[in-house]
Amino acid sequence: MGKEKLTTIPSSDDRPTAEIEVSIVMPCLNEADTLETCITKAWTGLGNAGISGEIIVADNGSTDASKEIALSNGARVVDVAEKGYGSALMGGIEAARGRYVIMGDADDSYDWHEIPKFVEKLREGYDLVQGCRLPSGGGKVLPGAMPFLHRWWGNPMFSYLARLWFKTPVHDVHCGMRGFTKEFYKTLNQKCTGMEFATEMLINATFHPSRIVEVPITLHPDGRIGKAPHLKTFRDGWRHLRHYLLFSPRWLFLLPGVLLVLIGVLLSFLGLVRANVGGATFGVHTLHFGSLAILCGYQSILFAILTKTFAIMEGLMPEDKRMLKFFEVVNLERGLILSAIALVIGIVLLLAAINEWRSVGFGDLNYSDTMRLVIPGATLVVLGFQTVLSGFFVSILGLNRR
């Protein structure tokens, strides 16, 4: 893309704050190859639509001429010392003086002439306007603009998970070009300092009452010369997946836990009744596996409850009506009663096994018969003990709400 020149380069520093409607924020780390082109296009996009705005270059420690280029092209430079894509954006957004903020990369992959699309939707009252590069949302990816793995697996997969897990109404969750009101941004309480900043924003937005809309854009090939992208496929892919999991106790803990418990109950039943299925005999060893699955699954379910409770108490997630109904039914006192029942039954089974040992003069026992008492007994004791500890811990987490 060729560089465009304006007859007069505006200076945002000379413009009164009240006149600034839109702040363009570009994170920057050694973007001398493309920064001037991006700034020029952004000024043109603002000027052609008659939008009063400013351009902020959030510099994250550039050692090339990026800062000089930004200043000479009418942008305001904000130095951000803490490293990371998210850190740079948080610093730039914090310094923004416009009612609306539009963020995007400075590598010339986004066409800043498309600014009016975002401003139009923001003026209509949307809180967050997400760009979409993928055809599924009406966007377009030019040849060579996106690596094959990102184009056909990474972005579609993560976008699908965002819709499934968080009900995020977008088709391109990783698109870095987006607009939002600064007032709405302040409610999101952004934490991530790396590449997952943009994903965190969308997830957080779905946790709040918000109006989100997607606008199609075109992704162009990276305009930088001989410079590797800041995004690292597998490192940043894992960081995004980790963030998804941390903000979704249901998928990280609850559903796997429920599945394990169901498998464990089935195996335990087959082992207890010495079932024979298709010529395979299920005995005491099957009971061992069933007990293991139940204990691991139950622990996972407890982690889901603890994690969700903590996240709500800390304001990381909104109140969940299902959690409130759950705690109306399963409170500390009822949990202690159930724990006591499990402990009593478990201890009785263990005592029965000890009595069998006594009946043979504390000699050798029939392994298969005795373990049918020991394994269920030990399992119930552990479940009861876990429930007692978790019940008190959940109550401690909820003390601030009383």
Side-chain angles (χ1 to χ4, degrees), residues 195 230-240:
M195 286 291 182
H230 298 303
L231 180 68
K232 304 298 181 184
T233 298
F234 294 102
R235 180 201 67 185
D236 291 309
W238 160 244
R239 290 180 64 167
H240 280 92

Side-chain angles (χ1 to χ4, degrees), residues 54-81:
E54 65 174 350
I55 297 176
I56 297 173
V57 173
D59 191 79
N60 208 203
S62 295
T63 56
D64 61 7
S66 293
K67 294 204 288 188
E68 291 77 10
I69 291 171
L71 291 170
S72 65
N73 283 273
R76 202 155 51 95
V77 175
V78 174
D79 291 308
V80 182

Side-chain angles (χ1 to χ4, degrees), residues 339-380:
S339 301
I341 294 172
L343 285 168
V344 168
I345 295 174
I347 291 171
V348 168
L349 291 173
L350 293 176
L351 290 174
I354 294 173
N355 185 59
E356 282 196 10
W357 187 32
R358 181 199 59 79
S359 68
V360 296
F362 299 103
D364 291 334
L365 290 166
N366 184 305
Y367 173 80
S368 179
D369 291 337
T370 306
M371 293 308 287
R372 281 181 168 77
L373 295 172
V374 172
I375 294 174
T379 301
L380 287 170

Side-chain angles (χ1 to χ4, degrees), residues 324-341:
L324 294 175
K325 290 180 180 178
F326 173 80
F327 285 123
E328 287 177 3
V329 176
V330 184
N331 54 29
L332 176 61
E333 291 71 26
R334 289 172 181 165
L336 292 178
I337 293 171
L338 290 174
S339 301
I341 294 172

Side-chain angles (χ1 to χ4, degrees), residues 26-160:
M26 300 180 188
C28 175
L29 177 59
N30 296 326
E31 308 290 4
D33 288 344
T34 53
L35 186 57
E36 182 178 359
T37 301
C38 291
I39 293 173
T40 302
K41 287 181 178 180
W43 281 130
T44 303
L46 291 169
N48 288 347
I51 302 168
S52 175
E54 65 174 350
I55 297 176
I56 297 173
V57 173
D59 191 79
N60 208 203
S62 295
T63 56
D64 61 7
S66 293
K67 294 204 288 188
E68 291 77 10
I69 291 171
L71 291 170
S72 65
N73 283 273
R76 202 155 51 95
V77 175
V78 174
D79 291 308
V80 182
E82 185 178 356
K83 298 299 181 183
Y85 174 78
S87 296
L89 283 168
M90 283 189 274
I93 296 168
E94 181 64 28
R97 300 181 297 191
R99 178 185 178 187
Y100 306 130
V101 177
I102 298 177
M103 58 177 258
D105 298 339
D107 59 6
D108 201 26
S109 59
Y110 297 124
D111 186 354
W112 288 99
H113 292 137
E114 297 186 289
I115 289 173
K117 291 182 179 181
F118 295 85
V119 177
E120 178 185 355
K121 293 298 181 181
L122 290 169
R123 287 173 175 171
E124 289 178 9
Y126 287 97
D127 301 298
L128 176 61
V129 183
Q130 173 72 9
C132 181
R133 305 161 296 177
L134 302 181
S136 58
K140 185 176 183 181
V141 179
L142 296 183
M146 188 181 292
F148 180 86
L149 193 61
H150 297 191
R151 170 69 181 84
W152 298 106
W153 172 248
N155 283 329
M157 182 270 291
F158 278 112
S159 298
Y160 171 75

Side-chain angles (χ1 to χ4, degrees), residues 269-307:
F269 173 76
L270 294 174
L272 282 171
V273 301
R274 297 181 173 89
N276 188 295
V277 181
T281 300
F282 296 91
V284 71
H285 296 92
T286 305
L287 192 56
H288 269 295
F289 279 94
S291 173
L292 178 63
I294 290 172
L295 292 175
C296 290
Y298 188 66
Q299 185 68 64
S300 188
I301 292 170
L302 291 178
F303 263 75
I305 297 170
L306 295 172
T307 303

